[in-house]
Amino acid sequence: MKVRPKKSLGQNFLTDKNIIKKITQSSQIKNLNVVEIGSGTGNLTEEIIKNKPKSLLLIEKDFQLCEILKKKIKNKNNIKILNNDILKINFEKILKKDTVIFGNLPYNISTQILLKLIKISVWPPEYFKLILMFQKEVAERILAKYNTANYGRLSIVSNWRLKIIDHFDVSKNCFHPKPKVNSSVVIFEPKVNNSYIIKDIINLEKVTQIFFSNRRKMINKSFKKLFGDNQNINKIIKVDLTNRPSNLKPEDFYRMTEYYESGLNT
Ligand code: SAH
């Protein structure tokens, strides 16, 4: 069956054998549970299967591609295909213990997928590793350190619960059809002992949203908006109000969110 790649589903299939190997070698697979997000025509899937996972769950939205996958994997009872939208999946229900998640992600929803994996309610989650492909520009925002131009909400929110272990670039020539931009694979592990107790990630998103909507301005106005006029609060929280948001470390935002949440209860 011939497939015409659907642009709307971000279908750029990985065809470079070396990169496929490099991705699967980023984690132990043997005897572990594996989930693959957006399996497509199964290029990465086949290499995962060669490495003998205990179980493999493929989540693919495109019905036609699911039919192709079915034929490729035949009737192996440790492999399941879920023809569903990843954004509608309840990870809390489907993830088994000791799972590694792979995904050459559809780029239009890559950050939404990452956020969904961060927002899992029980922490640490059942997955122990994420190996995800993003467009390079998004990977750079995830990896960005403070005091740099790409630093912002995405790196702050990602680094709250995830540790970035490694990353490598992938040329657009490794795909068919060839996308317009280059890509990067980022490898994450969940942080197990988080020293910041943020009750609801929505509040971290809110705090960072308020600060970064005025990216080039001093933080004093945003600070006032969140904490009111009390002059002493910035001394308690220990931030210098003449900074720009990108000068603050991720930990500063976590601390401010903790403080913001404590105010919500009183
Ligand atoms: N892993 C394959 C395909 C990557 S392209 C490879 O490397 O060759 C991204 C894949 O994600 C496509 O197969 C696309 O159909 C699928 N996809 C797009 N949106 C999705 C969604 N919301 N849920 C699940 N899969 C989706």
Side-chain angles (χ1 to χ4, degrees):
M1 195 188 332
K2 203 152 170 48
V3 279
R4 281 188 77 216
K6 298 185 183 71
K7 226 178 165 181
S8 62
L9 288 175
Q11 291 177 355
N12 298 101
F13 304 116
L14 191 56
T15 47
D16 186 291
K17 292 248 158 35
N18 290 324
I19 294 294
I20 291 172
K21 279 226 163 74
K22 192 165 177 185
I23 292 174
T24 53
Q25 282 165 1
S26 300
S27 172
Q28 187 194 323
I29 291 177
K30 198 168 183 210
N31 295 328
L32 292 170
N33 298 307
V34 178
V35 170
E36 191 196 354
I37 301 171
S39 309
T41 52
N43 294 345
L44 189 59
T45 319
E46 282 178 305
E47 193 60 34
I48 293 172
I49 293 172
K50 275 190 203 155
N51 285 284
K52 298 195 171 29
K54 184 157 126 201
S55 74
L56 174 59
L57 176 65
L58 311 172
I59 304 167
E60 172 57 60
K61 188 175 177 182
D62 187 328
F63 175 77
Q64 205 189 357
L65 294 184
C66 286
E67 292 298 302
I68 291 175
L69 289 167
K70 244 185 236 166
K71 285 199 185 113
K72 265 197 180 170
I73 61 171
K74 307 203 180 69
N75 284 325
K76 294 205 179 71
N77 54 13
N78 63 334
I79 306 176
K80 285 208 175 75
I81 303 173
L82 210 55
N83 180 204
N84 206 339
D85 182 340
I86 188 73
L87 297 177
K88 296 194 179 129
I89 296 280
N90 184 346
F91 284 127
E92 281 87 350
K93 273 210 179 125
I94 61 153
L95 285 184
K96 296 179 182 161
K97 221 176 159 35
D98 299 328
T99 292
V100 47
I101 301 181
F102 289 92
N104 170 13
L105 300 181
Y107 289 160
N108 51 338
I109 53 168
S110 64
T111 54
Q112 281 180 68
I113 296 172
L114 180 65
L115 286 173
K116 197 174 153 88
L117 287 162
I118 294 172
K119 286 180 180 180
I120 282 180
S121 59
V122 181
W123 204 266
E126 304 287 32
Y127 65 79
F128 69 93
K129 211 173 231 185
L130 302 174
I131 299 164
L132 305 175
M133 175 106 70
F134 300 88
Q135 57 277 54
K136 188 161 188 254
E137 168 268 325
V138 171
E140 279 168 352
R141 285 198 282 129
I142 295 168
L143 296 162
K145 301 278 183 258
Y146 67 102
N147 286 332
T148 67
N150 286 322
Y151 179 68
R153 302 181 67 202
L154 195 54
S155 53
I156 294 165
V157 174
S158 315
N159 279 284
W160 172 49
R161 279 189 151 176
L162 299 175
K163 194 161 56 178
I164 293 158
I165 301 299
D166 202 0
H167 65 99
F168 53 88
D169 292 342
V170 179
S171 156
K172 55 187 163 193
N173 297 319
C174 299
F175 299 86
H176 178 80
K178 186 165 135 180
K180 288 204 179 71
V181 294
N182 290 321
S183 298
S184 305
V185 170
V186 185
I187 301 162
F188 308 86
E189 278 174 15
K191 287 183 180 170
V192 176
N193 294 314
N194 216 329
S195 38
Y196 294 92
I197 302 166
I198 292 171
K199 294 190 198 96
D200 191 340
I201 191 170
I202 298 230
N203 293 319
L204 178 59
E205 289 181 304
K206 180 170 178 192
V207 167
T208 51
Q209 199 269 326
I210 288 176
F211 281 103
F212 281 93
S213 60
N214 288 307
R215 205 184 160 89
R216 270 168 265 279
K217 302 228 174 83
M218 286 196 291
I219 61 167
N220 54 349
K221 268 207 186 126
S222 308
F223 195 87
K224 226 185 228 176
K225 199 165 165 184
L226 276 167
F227 300 113
D229 253 336
N230 188 339
Q231 298 287 321
N232 292 321
I233 292 178
N234 69 315
K235 291 193 189 103
I236 301 169
I237 302 180
K238 295 195 182 70
V239 289
D240 177 350
L241 296 185
T242 63
N243 273 317
R244 323 274 148 180
S246 63
N247 303 131
L248 302 185
K249 294 179 186 161
E251 291 73 23
D252 293 323
F253 290 99
Y254 307 149
R255 229 174 36 251
M256 285 195 280
T257 305
E258 278 182 336
Y259 196 84
Y260 175 74
E261 284 188 335
S262 70
L264 293 177
N265 297 331
T266 53

